[in-house]
Amino acid sequence: MPAHAAHHGDREIETLQEFDATVSARGTLAGFRIQAVDLTDRTRELLATDTAGAVFLGCAMREEAAVKIRADGALVFPPVPDLAFDPYRGLLYSPDELFTGLDRGYEQTPDALAYAWFQRTKADGDIFASMLRAVHDDAVSDALDELLRGTRVVGVMGGHAMARGTEAYAGAARLGRELTREGFVVATGGGPGAMEAANLGAYAAPYGDTMLTEALQLLAKEPRFTPSITAWAAAAFEVRTRWPKGGGSIGIPTWFYGHEPPNAFAAHIAKYFANATREDGLLARCNAGVVFLPGAAGTVQEIFDNTTPNYYESRGEPTSMVLVDRAHWTEKLPAWPLLRSLARERSMESRIALVDRIEEAPQALKRLGG
């Protein structure tokens, strides 16, 4: 995207390009919020610009600049040293960022290091660590809202156990591709299995149909993220290297389930420490409906996490819900009968559907008004 100054009503500066454009266009930083921008080489600008009431969140800068802007009345939250993640980040993650250093093994990547930090700190009662997690997750939510503003988002939920190389995985990928070609933004839980497949499909959307067929064949060499996350992720990056300009989609994973890596096909990754925040936020942003593929406990939870606001209309008009695989949702895990009973004689009754095959899901969404 081209560099631009923060527009009226948007006081956040999240890149060095936005910083330069704002200083040039406005001549002031008063009242702005500058998030995680390295200002080490912008000392002259900081010394010459009014920063009254500004807030600098995790911005590296020289001491003379920090002294001056504090004297202006700005608040300065310095970067936290020796931390595997930036709690003040202004943008979502990318696969390249989370998997940096994959050639040395997944354990050396920022994603794995953040999970290791979480494991060390989540139970020690340290208020500083819990504050850092909360600030990080709030910053991620803010970045996600900014990215999705004005878009139509369809969620694709399903289990992490769906293996590459299976027809179910290929079907989920074709679903993600079709939804993206229809103009929706596909959002998933950002992990392996059905989630990866839907993000892969969105990535494949700009290419001809043979691309997805070939990509599925490449990925089938490493069907699961166990025993080697490194090999599993490397196969995905092989696809991305061969077809470098894929379509965009959203992945919303969590370090709470950090043993499951994020997938590399979501262009934008909103990764959280707090799973409850992640779950609610993922479903709340699916304003054009959700498709639920066969899954286990996590997918069942997501069905009813989505049902509750639809039942009470606490987020406004109910959104569409399409459950895929009649036998799975009526016999193996009979969520559909309960969902149908809850919906009876309520506004959401006309917004739910059960289909046999994944190929029917896009049309069901259209029929429901997704």
Side-chain angles (χ1 to χ4, degrees):
M1 295 180 63
H4 64 278
H7 55 77
H8 179 69
D10 181 358
R11 312 295 288 181
E12 297 176 6
I13 296 173
E14 295 150 346
T15 68
L16 193 59
Q17 292 75 17
E18 287 182 352
F19 177 88
D20 290 340
T22 300
V23 170
S24 175
R26 306 227 181 169
T28 180
L29 292 169
F32 279 84
R33 281 79 175 100
I34 303 90
Q35 289 180 253
V37 179
D38 187 345
L39 300 175
T40 306
D41 295 329
R42 294 297 186 273
T43 301
R44 183 180 64 182
E45 289 81 358
L46 291 171
L47 292 177
T49 304
D50 180 20
T51 59
V55 180
F56 292 81
L57 299 164
C59 298
M61 65 183 70
R62 301 194 186 281
E63 182 59 26
E64 61 180 309
V67 169
K68 181 265 180 186
I69 64 178
R70 286 192 181 101
D72 281 352
L75 290 176
V76 178
F77 294 80
V80 181
D82 303 319
L83 200 60
F85 61 95
D86 184 352
Y88 303 116
R89 62 181 303 111
L91 304 172
L92 298 182
Y93 293 99
S94 69
D96 290 324
E97 180 181 0
L98 286 177
F99 285 102
T100 299
L102 182 65
D103 57 331
R104 300 191 303 272
Y106 171 73
E107 296 75 14
Q108 302 303 313
T109 65
D111 185 64
L113 294 174
Y115 177 54
W117 176 88
F118 183 38
Q119 291 294 95
R120 289 195 305 271
T121 62
K122 67 181 181 179
D124 64 8
D126 182 357
I127 190 172
F128 183 56
S130 62
M131 182 197 75
L132 291 174
R133 293 194 295 269
V135 169
H136 169 275
D137 286 2
D138 190 65
V140 166
S141 290
D142 181 65
L144 186 58
D145 286 339
E146 291 176 359
L147 180 70
L148 295 180
R149 190 174 296 142
T151 61
R152 300 177 69 211
V153 181
V154 170
V156 178
M157 310 296 148
H160 67 270
M162 184 185 289
R164 295 168 173 174
T166 63
E167 179 51 36
Y169 184 97
R174 290 191 293 268
L175 172 65
R177 183 178 64 183
E178 181 169 350
L179 291 172
T180 302
R181 288 176 174 175
E182 289 286 336
F184 295 107
V185 175
V186 170
T188 78
M195 297 170 280
E196 181 188 56
N199 289 130
L200 167 65
Y203 189 88
Y207 290 94
D209 290 356
T210 57
M211 175 272 182
L212 181 57
T213 301
E214 294 177 24
L216 290 168
Q217 292 171 347
L218 285 173
L219 292 171
K221 300 174 186 176
E222 297 292 339
R224 301 182 186 278
F225 66 91
T226 56
S228 173
I229 295 176
T230 302
W232 174 85
F237 278 99
E238 181 182 352
V239 170
R240 286 167 49 92
T241 299
R242 183 166 174 182
W243 294 280
K245 296 182 179 180
S249 64
I250 307 296
I252 308 182
T254 173
W255 280 295
F256 184 81
Y257 297 130
H259 60 286
E260 294 181 11
N263 77 71
F265 293 112
H268 307 281
I269 301 175
K271 191 153 190 178
Y272 288 87
F273 288 105
N275 186 51
T277 303
R278 169 253 191 173
E279 287 278 8
D280 185 67
L282 169 56
L283 293 166
R285 290 173 174 87
C286 295
N287 55 13
V290 183
V291 178
F292 297 93
L293 304 180
T299 310
V300 172
Q301 177 184 342
E302 288 163 344
I303 289 172
F304 292 105
D305 279 348
N306 200 54
T307 296
T308 301
N310 282 347
Y311 181 89
Y312 290 111
E313 299 186 46
S314 55
R315 294 181 185 139
E317 183 181 349
T319 53
S320 303
M321 299 175 65
V322 178
L323 277 61
V324 176
D325 192 328
R326 187 176 303 272
H328 186 86
W329 295 121
T330 62
E331 299 172 18
K332 185 175 181 180
L333 296 174
W336 172 253
L338 178 54
L339 175 61
R340 187 174 55 183
S341 296
L342 284 167
R344 188 170 294 123
E345 297 182 357
R346 303 188 74 88
S347 297
M348 66 178 288
E349 186 172 17
S350 62
R351 307 304 296 273
I352 64 172
L354 174 67
V355 298
D356 289 309
R357 299 181 301 111
I358 198 168
E359 291 77 12
E360 301 173 74
Q363 189 58 41
L365 269 178
K366 292 179 184 177
R367 187 173 67 252
L368 298 176

